Amino acid sequence: MDSHEETENGNGNRNGSAEALPPPPPPPTEIPPDVVPIKAEPDPPKKKRVPMARRGSGTKGQKVQLLSNHFKVNVTNVDGHFYHYSVNLMYEDGRPVEGKGVGRKVLDRVQDTYDTELAGKHFAYDGEKSLFTVGPLPGNKLEFTVLLEEVTSARNNGNASPEGRASPNESDRKRVRRPFQSKTFKVELSFAAKIPMQAITNVIRGQENENSMEALRVLDIILRQHAAKQGCLLVRQSFFHNDPKNFADVGGGVLGCRGFHSSFRGTQSGLSLNIDVSTTMIVQPGPVVDFLIANQNVRDPYSIDWNKAKRMLKNLRIKTTTSNQEFKITGLSEKPCREQTFSLKQRNRDENGEPEAVEVTVYDYFVNNRNVELRYSADLPCINVGKPKRPTFFPLELCSLVSLQRYTKSLSGLQRASLVEKSRQKPQERMSVLSHALKVSNYDAEPMLKSCGISISSAFTQINGRVLPAPKLKCGNGDDFFPRNGRWNFNNKQLVEPTKIERWAVVNFSARCDTRSLVRDLQKCAGMKGIGIEAPFDVFEESPQNRRAPPLVRVEKMFEDVQSKLPGAPKFLLCLLPERKNCEVYGPWKKKCLADFGIVTQCMAPIRVNDQYLTNLLLKINAKLGGLNSMLAVEHTPSIPLVSKVPTIILGMDVSHGSPGHSDVPSIAAVVSSRQWPLISRYRASVRTQSPKVEMIDNLFKPVSDTEDDGIMREALLDFYVSSGKRKPEHIIIFRDGVSESQFNQVLNIELDKIIESCKFLDEKWNPKFVVIVAQKNHHTKFFQNNAPENVPPGTIIDNNVCHPRTYDFYLCAHAGMIGTTRPTHYHVLLDEVGFSPDDLQELVHSLSYVYQRSTTAISVVAPVCYAHLAATQMSQWMKFEDTSETSSSHGGVTSAGSVPVPQLPRLQEGVASSMFFC
């Protein structure tokens, strides 16, 4: 018997003998009748953390008047109720309607036909299962029957999905033969809930609950429906008009389509409508063949790769020149048009009374039976718009892609660059486009908004901002300097902690380059910055016969060459690559150096090399080898409020997901952590894979036994302890990137709990204090100067007016926006146990935009978050997951964390594990 049981029995005698036991309890019958059993109390549930309330506003900095793209919303009718009805759509035989595009058409018809039965009420319909009215409809359950002529989802179905038409069913084929067939639908509306419009005022007070969020959702649905009625493509909160003026060709058969985002938001100054320019990608409308030629970058239809074409075209909608109908592409024919046959029913009947059928080719049918001239389709596959069992074929040249169909695959580097360039807008231009959009949208005429008593101001909201002064920086020889307009340079300055580049070599993967003079220029430039460079041990040129080999082989061969000639392991390798972007050797080379050998490496493409290029290159090399380029003066003294007094670790956390269309690519979580306190300029990174599309970081705490934790946090905390003079951090400041407001509670309760568990696992008695801040770039709030065409100055901070009415958030534009309109970073302080004043916290965040070692500019988001991006991006190159997912099914991402085995990233060698390899 163990001691636990003894004490449970109330007996401390440890000899374990039977006599030591107390007498058995009396039988149940002897319990006195008046005893009331005591209910065992369950453990009190752990209190959930929620985002903290605002602690006041900052006061530092120079005051500045700004405008924002929030438009004030007045609500007069707050006493009524929204009524929510669920919508059930069926065909007349009771089958549910599956297709997405048809719902809005059917309900528009209901509105037109049954105005009296609906008591003249307007409604807001979300295109799927929900419908809202102001005040009740005449009954809790209403049924209607409507007739719709030819149902195609012409663009004004207003649905975001590229899925197309009404019914993927039997009668589709009949429609092919009888284009004017109409169809009967049954609609059931059942009362679901009642939402007080008073809830809108709760939003403004910052009291967010079910009702208040639902009330805002109704307002957003009204705007979506308004846009749908104008024939827009809807994508979440954005809408796109079918106007070629808004299209920009980005190459590969893809167009950038400019539209608008609009959403209602509760702010400190009341309800506002946030309107911004938004861009989505669409497929180039027009002849299918033109799209395929552009998409595959080929010269003519005969060079098209039809397997690729089939994947690309599936589910896109087309119109054919022979009928005015829309069809959804289901595939391509196996054989070319002149060989592909189908059975054509004849007028005459066989002895059983069945119509006779003859086999005829698609080509002959269209040319002879339909008298359609076909110029080039004969030897190309046909487009199939039918079912697997009953295909329906059209020759390629008769098919045109309908406008406003989303392109959801990932863009190439060139397409992305072209899109960015073509969708840039200077602040003034953006303001006039937004004013025009608001005027054209004509929300005052929207009947649903009228019945809510809602009016939207046409003026940009006026805001009081502040401009924080740039922090003082330190460079070499003890010199101080102030950045000007968010920028500085190292002309005539030395780096604050330059390293030595010794025991190094150059490897050249067939880049055209005069390597000797490159090394000479590098040495000269480095000398001026205070970096000593020895002569390289050797230059290893790739042998011409390896140039065409697969990337892994090229890297292996190069390493064999290096190992055979060098006397020992080099400390640094400079690697010359033939292309600047997407060089296939890059990933395997980095992995070989960092994971297999622990060698610091820097890649470069020697295409346009000048002094500025070499300086930037040396900044990266110096940081990777353990040097520092510049630092904050307050780090040096050290005098950062609350951070310099007490050991403090700063973390940057981010998860990057596979590109769209690659949903089975593992997500990559990166956690960057500061080291060598009291510095806040030196970082290391831990990177792990996790299940696809899972946003919460999986491996923060990962106990593999009672004494071992293989999680990310343990690595970061131990490194901090060792590099900071055997001190444990008492403050842990976390910057979390890439999460939306709906996930804040998960960050506070799931991720933070894992971090705390990891701390407790190292030392049960250790209770560090936490600060959790989310950094968001994906939002639609912009700021403009009141009477100047330029972007807002670097250091502009806003913590009033358009900020949240209750929680602790602020907007910061730390960088100088040189092109386009500056996108501020929206910081949400979810937790602050340390007790920073608003000014001190804002100053810290601002300073962390100036410690980025790769550039001589302030950056738009704190450096640890930027480093987490870099680390995740670099290590994702090590494992080119995309190769497998081009053909595999894309369902891995639907799973919950951990259910699909995810390939693990190799760990870095000890020598580079704590380096800034990602720099």
Side-chain angles (χ1 to χ4, degrees):
M1 176 194 289
D2 64 26
S3 58
H4 168 72
E5 286 184 71
E6 288 170 17
T7 46
E8 286 281 353
N9 290 329
N11 182 1
N13 186 341
R14 298 198 174 238
N15 61 10
S17 63
E19 299 91 272
L21 291 173
T29 50
E30 293 179 27
I31 294 178
D34 55 346
V35 168
V36 180
I38 297 168
K39 187 178 171 195
E41 284 297 318
D43 288 340
K46 209 174 101 215
K47 199 161 177 266
K48 280 214 145 163
R49 300 184 194 96
V50 293
M52 67 182 285
R54 184 178 296 284
R55 280 214 180 123
S57 300
T59 55
K60 284 189 177 170
Q62 189 184 344
K63 292 190 169 38
V64 59
Q65 282 283 308
L66 302 169
L67 298 172
S68 174
N69 59 342
H70 284 241
F71 298 86
K72 202 162 175 40
V73 177
N74 274 324
V75 188
T76 52
N77 173 15
V78 288
D79 302 327
H81 283 80
F82 287 123
Y83 279 72
H84 177 188
Y85 295 86
S86 63
V87 179
N88 190 10
L89 290 183
M90 291 168 298
Y91 296 106
E92 57 187 321
D93 60 6
R95 281 170 309 120
V97 174
E98 307 280 324
K100 282 193 173 177
V102 71
R104 287 191 191 273
K105 290 194 153 194
V106 173
L107 278 153
D108 284 349
R109 182 55 57 90
V110 168
Q111 176 112 55
D112 299 342
T113 318
Y114 294 100
D115 191 48
T116 327
E117 287 79 349
L118 293 167
K121 277 203 181 304
H122 291 281
F123 53 69
Y125 173 51
D126 72 352
E128 303 208 358
K129 298 275 183 216
S130 293
L131 178 144
F132 299 88
T133 57
V134 177
L137 291 173
N140 278 351
K141 187 152 190 178
L142 302 170
E143 293 192 8
F144 306 104
T145 306
V146 291
L147 204 64
L148 271 196
E149 289 71 57
E150 184 45 50
V151 184
T152 62
S153 76
R155 183 66 264 166
N156 61 7
N157 66 46
N159 215 300
S161 160
E163 317 308 294
R165 301 159 297 138
S167 66
N169 58 46
E170 184 62 13
S171 52
D172 279 16
R173 281 187 311 281
K174 295 180 187 142
R175 294 213 318 256
V176 176
R177 289 200 295 281
R178 283 185 292 169
F180 303 111
Q181 157 121 19
S182 53
K183 193 167 270 187
T184 305
F185 292 89
K186 282 204 232 144
V187 183
E188 282 177 7
L189 303 182
S190 330
F191 172 72
K194 187 170 156 183
I195 306 151
M197 288 165 82
Q198 191 67 43
I200 296 172
T201 53
N202 294 351
V203 175
I204 301 163
R205 291 196 201 104
Q207 301 160 343
E208 287 169 5
N209 55 26
E210 261 319 273
N211 270 344
S212 60
M213 297 323 288
E214 196 64 359
L216 276 199
R217 188 169 92 92
V218 177
L219 298 184
D220 283 333
I221 286 169
I222 295 172
L223 295 194
R224 279 174 63 85
Q225 174 173 282
H226 185 70
K229 286 194 153 90
Q230 298 172 5
C232 291
L233 160 67
L234 305 186
V235 184
R236 292 185 292 280
Q237 302 289 112
S238 299
F239 42 88
F240 303 88
H241 288 272
N242 189 10
D243 179 353
K245 282 209 302 290
N246 299 335
F247 301 165
D249 188 350
V250 299
V254 181
L255 309 181
C257 175
R258 199 176 72 193
F260 298 96
H261 162 95
S262 69
S263 61
F264 287 98
R265 302 192 68 83
T267 69
Q268 287 176 32
S269 55
L271 191 63
S272 73
L273 179 64
N274 176 205
I275 300 185
D276 194 21
V277 176
S278 176
T279 305
T280 193
M281 313 314 306
I282 61 169
V283 167
Q284 169 186 312
V288 171
V289 69
D290 292 353
F291 165 70
L292 290 175
I293 286 172
N295 183 251
Q296 298 190 10
N297 194 19
V298 291
R299 301 235 312 270
D300 54 49
Y302 306 105
S303 317
I304 290 170
D305 172 338
W306 293 104
N307 281 329
K308 256 192 195 163
K310 186 174 175 180
R311 283 199 300 270
M312 185 56 75
L313 293 175
K314 194 167 171 52
N315 290 337
L316 290 178
R317 295 189 325 278
I318 53 161
K319 275 200 160 156
T320 61
T321 45
T322 52
S323 77
N324 193 28
Q325 257 177 274
E326 240 179 63
F327 303 95
K328 185 158 82 182
I329 298 178
T330 52
L332 298 174
S333 61
E334 295 292 317
K335 298 177 179 167
C337 185
R338 69 160 89 240
E339 293 170 29
Q340 183 66 51
T341 59
F342 67 102
S343 60
L344 179 64
K345 288 183 178 158
Q346 302 293 297
R347 294 234 167 97
N348 39 351
R349 297 175 179 273
D350 61 18
E351 61 267 22
N352 302 327
E354 293 290 319
E356 283 185 5
V358 295
E359 287 292 305
V360 51
T361 68
V362 177
Y363 182 83
D364 287 341
Y365 169 74
F366 277 93
V367 171
N368 302 329
N369 295 40
R370 303 284 296 273
N371 296 324
V372 175
E373 184 193 352
L374 295 179
R375 290 179 327 202
Y376 59 80
S377 296
D379 298 312
L380 304 175
C382 305
I383 300 275
N384 181 7
V385 297
K387 294 282 145 306
K389 295 272 162 55
R390 296 283 306 268
T392 303
F393 295 118
F394 285 106
L396 191 66
E397 69 193 79
L398 303 185
C399 302
S400 278
L401 290 162
V402 176
S403 189
L404 290 189
Q405 298 191 74
R406 282 185 76 197
Y407 178 84
T408 51
K409 309 221 173 1
S410 50
L411 296 181
S412 69
L414 284 172
Q415 286 174 319
R416 191 168 284 117
S418 168
L419 174 68
V420 167
E421 190 188 336
K422 289 178 175 170
S423 49
R424 263 188 217 135
Q425 287 174 315
K426 287 252 185 286
Q428 300 294 74
E429 186 192 350
R430 187 172 285 246
M431 283 180 78
S432 67
V433 164
L434 292 178
S435 294
H436 180 68
L438 190 59
K439 202 187 281 137
V440 170
S441 58
N442 195 14
Y443 288 136
D444 293 344
E446 166 56 55
M448 277 292 285
L449 290 180
K450 268 191 184 147
S451 47
C452 305
I454 282 181
S455 60
I456 298 165
S457 157
S458 59
F460 285 74
T461 297
Q462 297 232 344
I463 285 176
N464 298 318
R466 292 171 291 121
V467 181
L468 300 179
K472 185 160 64 169
L473 299 181
K474 271 207 127 29
C475 59
N477 300 332
D479 293 346
D480 291 352
F481 62 96
F482 281 101
R484 295 183 53 180
N485 196 26
R487 318 177 76 79
W488 62 96
N489 60 50
F490 280 107
N491 298 348
N492 311 321
K493 296 186 193 78
Q494 295 209 342
L495 307 184
V496 70
E497 282 183 28
T499 50
K500 267 188 111 86
I501 302 179
E502 54 194 7
R503 298 213 344 247
W504 70 291
V506 182
V507 301
N508 182 4
F509 283 100
S510 307
R512 286 209 200 105
C513 171
D514 176 353
T515 323
R516 302 281 164 218
S517 74
L518 172 68
V519 169
R520 227 179 13 253
D521 293 347
L522 194 64
Q523 284 175 310
K524 185 171 149 217
C525 189
M528 292 161 72
K529 306 288 171 273
I531 297 175
I533 301 197
E534 290 179 355
F537 182 86
D538 205 344
V539 174
F540 296 91
E541 299 282 352
E542 182 175 43
S543 75
Q545 70 259 35
N546 292 339
R547 201 174 291 178
R548 300 265 173 274
L552 285 169
V553 175
R554 292 173 69 182
V555 169
E556 277 304 326
K557 294 278 189 214
M558 183 64 86
F559 251 93
E560 283 167 18
D561 198 15
V562 171
Q563 278 175 303
S564 67
K565 293 190 186 141
L566 288 188
K571 277 192 174 172
F572 171 68
L573 289 173
L574 180 66
C575 170
L576 310 185
L577 298 175
E579 300 100 11
R580 268 185 58 201
K581 288 268 192 289
N582 301 331
C583 180
E584 53 181 13
V585 178
Y586 178 85
W589 172 257
K590 287 281 185 189
K591 178 171 178 251
K592 194 81 178 158
C593 287
L594 296 169
D596 297 356
F597 288 94
I599 299 169
V600 176
T601 176
Q602 174 63 51
C603 295
M604 66 176 286
I607 293 165
R608 278 194 294 277
V609 177
N610 54 23
D611 265 7
Q612 186 58 60
Y613 182 93
L614 291 175
T615 300
N616 290 346
L617 194 74
L618 284 161
L619 294 181
K620 286 155 66 79
I621 294 171
N622 191 52
K624 285 176 181 180
L625 286 169
L628 265 184
N629 303 327
S630 59
M631 69 197 308
L632 300 164
V634 286
E635 269 181 288
H636 188 260
T637 35
S639 54
I640 305 167
L642 299 175
V643 172
S644 300
K645 298 266 187 304
V646 172
T648 300
I649 187 171
I650 297 177
L651 305 176
M653 300 179 13
D654 180 42
V655 176
S656 60
H657 305 291
S659 46
H662 288 305
S663 58
D664 48 359
V665 173
S667 294
I668 294 188
V671 175
V672 161
S673 55
S674 63
R675 53 201 311 268
Q676 294 182 6
W677 176 82
L679 292 183
I680 58 170
S681 287
R682 273 215 171 95
Y683 293 85
R684 68 178 305 279
S686 295
V687 184
R688 307 281 169 91
T689 49
Q690 59 186 40
S691 295
K693 302 285 182 273
V694 171
E695 185 51 63
M696 290 302 117
I697 298 181
D698 222 7
N699 293 312
L700 291 168
F701 175 56
K702 193 179 175 187
V704 285
S705 73
D706 291 351
T707 52
E708 268 184 283
D709 164 17
D710 188 33
I712 294 176
M713 279 310 300
R714 181 187 174 88
E715 268 183 42
L717 294 168
L718 288 178
D719 177 80
F720 180 90
Y721 181 75
V722 171
S723 67
S724 307
K726 300 249 162 59
R727 291 188 189 85
K728 284 196 287 249
E730 289 175 40
H731 297 162
I732 298 181
I733 300 176
I734 299 163
F735 286 95
R736 179 67 163 92
D737 186 36
V739 290
S740 61
E741 280 155 61
S742 61
Q743 296 166 314
F744 286 179
N745 286 346
Q746 286 173 283
V747 170
L748 273 179
N749 292 291
I750 299 173
E751 286 187 345
L752 185 55
D753 274 356
K754 290 288 179 210
I755 293 172
I756 292 169
E757 277 182 73
S758 184
C759 294
K760 293 285 184 200
F761 198 83
L762 281 165
D763 177 355
E764 188 54 50
K765 298 190 190 66
W766 177 27
N767 291 309
K769 292 180 174 170
F770 288 92
V771 177
V772 180
I773 301 174
V774 168
Q776 284 180 336
K777 295 281 301 241
N778 256 351
H779 58 81
H780 286 277
T781 297
K782 300 283 192 303
F783 299 105
F784 305 91
Q785 295 207 54
N786 214 339
N787 39 26
E790 303 86 24
N791 271 308
V792 296
T796 300
I797 195 160
I798 292 97
D799 60 1
N800 57 37
N801 202 305
V802 294
C803 290
H804 194 278
R806 186 189 67 82
T807 57
Y808 189 177
D809 65 334
F810 59 90
Y811 292 91
L812 173 63
C813 305
H815 64 303
M818 306 309 283
I819 42 181
T821 304
T822 297
R823 178 184 298 219
T825 300
H826 192 183
Y827 291 100
H828 300 259
V829 185
L830 304 188
L831 177 71
D832 175 11
E833 297 175 338
V834 172
F836 281 97
S837 71
D839 275 326
D840 286 347
L841 192 62
Q842 290 172 7
E843 196 109 49
L844 174 66
V845 170
H846 185 226
S847 297
L848 282 169
S849 303
Y850 279 83
V851 300
Y852 188 60
Q853 298 296 308
R854 282 168 47 123
S855 73
T856 52
T857 59
I859 53 173
S860 64
V861 66
V862 290
V865 158
C866 237
Y867 289 148
H869 276 306
L870 290 173
T873 307
Q874 182 175 133
M875 287 183 80
S876 68
Q877 300 285 319
W878 292 18
M879 299 175 80
K880 273 291 196 193
F881 303 114
E882 279 89 339
D883 301 347
T884 52
S885 64
E886 181 59 32
T887 48
S888 62
S889 67
S890 302
H891 300 300
V894 190
T895 55
S896 61
S899 55
V900 170
V902 171
Q904 291 304 306
L905 285 165
R907 300 289 167 91
L908 299 178
Q909 286 286 329
E910 207 173 319
V912 290
S914 293
S915 73
M916 292 181 67
F917 69 88
F918 42 80
C919 223

